[in-house]
Amino acid sequence: MTAHLLPRSISTATSAVIGATSIAPLYSAVVTLGLMHALVGRWTPVVLVAAVVPMAVVSVCFARLDDLYEDQGTVYRWAREAFGEFAGFLGGWGLWLSATLVLASLAWVTADSALFALGLDPGAWTTTGVAAALMAVFAAVSSTGIRVSAAVQAVLAALQLVGVGVLVWAMRTAPVLADGTGTADGEWSGFYTDVLTGGELTAGNLAAALLLALFLYWGWDSTFSLTEESTTQRAPRVSAWIALAVVAAAYALIGWAYVPGASVGSPLLASLVAVSAGASIGTTMIPTSRGLMSMARGGHLPRRFVSLAFATWTTAAVAAAWMAFSGSLFDDSIGIISVLVALYYGLACAAAARLARTAGTRALGVAGAVLMGLALALTGWEYVLSATWVGVGVALVLLVVPLWFLLGRGRDPLPGAHERAPHLESLRN
């Protein structure tokens, strides 16, 4: 069974491109800024800046853990080493599930905005079919290996940089709707412009906005899934920090330009958002499939998941099913994903607190775990009776228990799975 992994083949620059396109700044801003404004109103720019702090803390924890265990499974491997096999399985489940759900959202937005750019309005099921086809195309590219994926992403990343400039210009020049509802005739807008008054700055609203901000920045950690394919051990962390810095600068521009109620839309803008979301489909598949491969290598999934192609196509199929049958829950996907991301980020920070060799890193690990846990707790307390996405997110997390008994036990790990830096040669048999 061939894994199609290429040891020591990805440079820092290439990895940074993958990290930045994983975040998909255009797509993330379009689907999240309006929701964040509805929660905290004029405090939205402050929350955007504040969200960089927990991301920096988590990224340092990832870097220190990668020093100890160079593994493409990232939080799966680290949680397993720190807290045991079930905790590792939980971390791997949280990472895979969050990425799979966002793939559905990415594919839908890509199809919807691309069809608008072409002047078409085919209906929900046709859009779903186009989205599934797009997901299949990117799955085919991703399953061939990292070099082909990296070449495609380099082109899409350049288009996204141009797109950020276009979005900033469009928001500053767009007409503002007087009643704050809908969009002007013939216009397209991914912004949630129907809720514009802004919420009160309560602890729950702030926590929910911070969780949404996690979604805005989420994706930089995809560079650590390439750790075994990177040319140097420092490449994943350096490229992650480069990606975070570039995207933070882009968000600073977008946040400055954002005008609630602006009717932002044109075929050009829609096509740029499609490029952003489409690029992230490909890059999101990279850590998702490699996480499954690591879990199979460690004996916590069937052996067939050691294949890059099988892991990638399985993920694409589940994402397409969620997109087709989730119904009204699809609108809550951003919140659900934020819950799952906070879970596995918090678990990684807790693992850093347990495994780190220095007091400073242990303190950062504790701080990161507390921040993630506090955001989850405050959000759940504020919205326990009103927000579907909190309940669904918790339910999806709890699915780990039956899956652990069905899939996660009873297999011996492959050779090298428990070493500090597992050998890729064991995957080429």
Side-chain angles (χ1 to χ4, degrees):
M1 183 180 294
T2 303
H4 297 299
L5 298 183
L6 301 174
R8 308 306 178 196
S9 61
I10 297 300
S11 67
T12 300
T14 301
S15 185
V17 167
I18 290 172
T21 53
S22 291
I23 299 172
L26 280 172
Y27 157 77
S28 298
V30 164
V31 301
T32 308
L33 275 180
L35 291 173
M36 190 179 295
H37 184 270
L39 287 166
V40 294
R42 67 180 185 277
W43 295 96
T44 297
V46 177
V47 173
L48 283 173
V49 174
V52 177
V53 176
M55 290 298 95
V57 171
V58 176
S59 69
V60 172
C61 292
F62 269 61
R64 295 296 175 260
L65 289 166
D66 192 58
D67 282 339
L68 294 173
Y69 300 100
E70 190 182 23
D71 193 299
Q72 64 187 23
T74 60
V75 68
Y76 156 72
R77 174 70 186 277
W78 303 332
R80 189 187 76 190
E81 296 291 342
F83 305 111
E85 293 187 351
F86 178 75
F89 192 81
L90 174 63
W93 169 247
L95 190 156
W96 178 82
L97 186 60
S98 57
T100 301
L101 298 187
V102 85
L103 280 173
S105 180
L106 288 166
W108 176 272
V109 171
T110 303
D112 183 60
S113 52
L115 290 170
F116 175 86
L118 295 173
L120 302 174
D121 185 17
W125 282 107
T126 302
T127 302
T128 300
V130 173
L134 288 169
M135 204 180 305
V137 170
F138 279 101
V141 172
S142 297
S143 62
T144 62
I146 192 59
R147 286 179 177 167
V148 175
S149 295
V152 172
Q153 292 303 324
V155 176
L156 296 177
L159 291 175
Q160 285 197 74
L161 288 176
V162 174
V164 169
V166 173
L167 178 61
V168 168
W169 169 81
M171 287 191 295
R172 298 305 295 182
T173 60
V176 177
L177 300 177
D179 58 0
T181 58
T183 57
D185 291 341
E187 292 292 303
W188 170 88
S189 178
F191 289 105
Y192 285 72
T193 55
D194 55 337
V195 184
L196 299 173
T197 57
E200 297 179 0
L201 194 63
T202 64
N205 280 356
L206 181 59
L210 283 171
L211 281 182
L212 291 175
L214 291 185
F215 179 82
L216 273 168
Y217 287 101
W218 175 55
W220 57 267
D221 52 303
S222 63
T223 64
F224 286 93
S225 70
L226 298 171
T227 182
E228 297 170 59
E229 298 172 88
S230 299
T231 52
T232 67
Q233 192 176 26
R234 290 177 55 85
R237 76 192 66 169
V238 173
S239 55
W241 292 332
I242 292 172
L244 269 174
V246 170
V247 172
Y251 285 153
L253 279 174
I254 294 172
W256 165 78
Y258 177 62
V259 178
S263 180
V264 180
S266 71
L268 175 60
L269 181 59
S271 64
L272 290 171
V273 172
V275 168
S276 178
S280 193
I281 295 173
T283 51
T284 301
M285 286 181 178
I286 291 172
T288 312
S289 58
R290 282 160 176 75
L292 293 180
M293 293 171 71
S294 181
M295 293 175 74
R297 185 172 62 190
H300 293 131
L301 280 180
R303 289 285 188 264
R304 68 185 67 182
F305 283 98
V306 173
S307 164
L308 176 62
F310 186 85
T312 301
W313 283 104
T314 298
T315 299
V318 174
W322 172 266
M323 180 175 59
F325 300 111
S326 61
S328 61
L329 293 179
F330 190 78
D331 293 334
D332 294 312
S333 289
I334 305 303
I336 295 169
I337 292 162
S338 298
V339 170
L340 296 170
V341 171
L343 168 71
Y344 84 80
Y345 276 178
L347 191 56
C349 290
R354 179 74 177 272
L355 298 172
R357 296 172 176 173
T358 65
T361 303
R362 287 194 294 270
L364 280 177
V366 171
V370 169
L371 282 171
M372 296 299 113
L374 188 61
L376 285 171
L378 287 174
T379 304
W381 180 263
E382 181 83 3
Y383 295 106
V384 67
L385 298 178
S386 59
T388 303
W389 56 268
V390 175
V392 173
V394 171
L396 290 173
V397 170
L398 293 178
L399 274 178
V400 72
V401 176
L403 288 174
W404 167 250
F405 288 101
L406 289 172
L407 299 175
R409 306 185 304 158
R411 301 177 193 85
D412 294 326
L414 291 176
H418 289 291
E419 296 179 10
R420 285 189 59 202
H423 299 295
L424 285 175
E425 303 309 319
S426 66
L427 300 178
R428 296 186 178 280
N429 299 325

